Amino acid sequence: MFTVLSFLAWIRALRAIPLSIAFTFSSAVHIFIPLSCWLFLGEAIGLRRWLGIALVVIGLMVIARPFARLDEKLDEAL
């Protein structure tokens, strides 16, 4: 059931944003799962995992920045 819901959410996201952005942000699962386990289940997160989370966040910021600028330019044009 959750697999079907996940697929439907993915299709809906692709209607709203381009695939290049949606696919990039799908890597956010590598941030949210460990942080959720840490917050709600009290699991320990090692240094390597924190570094991995930081690299994913940095990667998302690097990729999202040009798209944010493009969106601002499109808003100004309208």
Side-chain angles (χ1 to χ4, degrees):
M1 182 174 91
F2 289 114
T3 303
V4 172
L5 290 174
S6 172
F7 175 73
L8 293 174
W10 178 250
I11 295 299
R12 185 165 175 91
L14 291 179
R15 286 183 178 177
I17 57 177
L19 177 62
S20 59
I21 298 172
F23 190 72
T24 301
F25 280 94
S26 69
S27 66
V29 71
H30 299 290
I31 299 167
F32 293 123
I33 297 298
L35 292 180
S36 298
C37 291
W38 177 62
L39 289 172
F40 298 113
L41 302 176
E43 292 189 14
I45 299 179
L47 179 61
R48 284 179 38 183
R49 176 79 46 138
W50 281 115
L51 291 174
I53 291 171
L55 286 174
V56 170
V57 169
I58 292 168
L60 288 173
M61 290 171 48
V62 166
I63 291 172
R65 181 169 288 149
F67 290 110
R69 288 184 187 150
L70 179 63
D71 190 44
E72 287 174 3
K73 287 181 183 178
L74 288 174
D75 287 341
E76 290 173 3
L78 295 176

